[in-house]
Amino acid sequence: MGIDKESDIAANLQIGPTSLGMVRIYVEAEGFELPLDFEPEEAEEIAEELMAAAEAARAMGEGGKKGGARGKPRKG
């Protein structure tokens, strides 16, 4: 499975600090749990990558759809 391929798998995502000063991204899906721990600096890098990906996705959605990514009518 690639990053740009749809999937029918549903998962829960939780993010928070651990008692050891790490940032945990916890993924839970049918039949498995995946705790991923990161140093705070690594977590900040991940957050920056998420923001950049969100901006790129928003631009792609707005460029190909009338009315923007959510289908809302444009004012003006």
Side-chain angles (χ1 to χ4, degrees):
M1 169 186 283
I3 198 153
D4 196 28
K5 187 174 179 183
E6 289 189 34
S7 170
D8 290 334
I9 298 172
N12 295 315
L13 177 70
Q14 297 178 26
I15 302 170
T18 70
S19 60
L20 299 176
M22 303 288 280
V23 175
R24 176 166 288 171
I25 298 175
Y26 182 80
V27 182
E28 180 182 18
E30 294 180 24
F32 77 93
E33 298 173 3
L34 182 62
L36 303 166
D37 292 343
F38 301 92
E39 297 285 339
E41 295 77 16
E42 292 174 306
E44 289 172 341
E45 290 176 16
I46 292 168
E48 290 172 5
E49 290 180 30
L50 280 167
M51 294 298 291
E55 285 183 34
R58 186 175 293 113
M60 292 166 77
E62 290 174 354
K65 294 182 181 178
K66 188 175 183 180
R70 296 181 186 222
K72 294 182 181 178
R74 294 184 184 185
K75 294 181 181 179

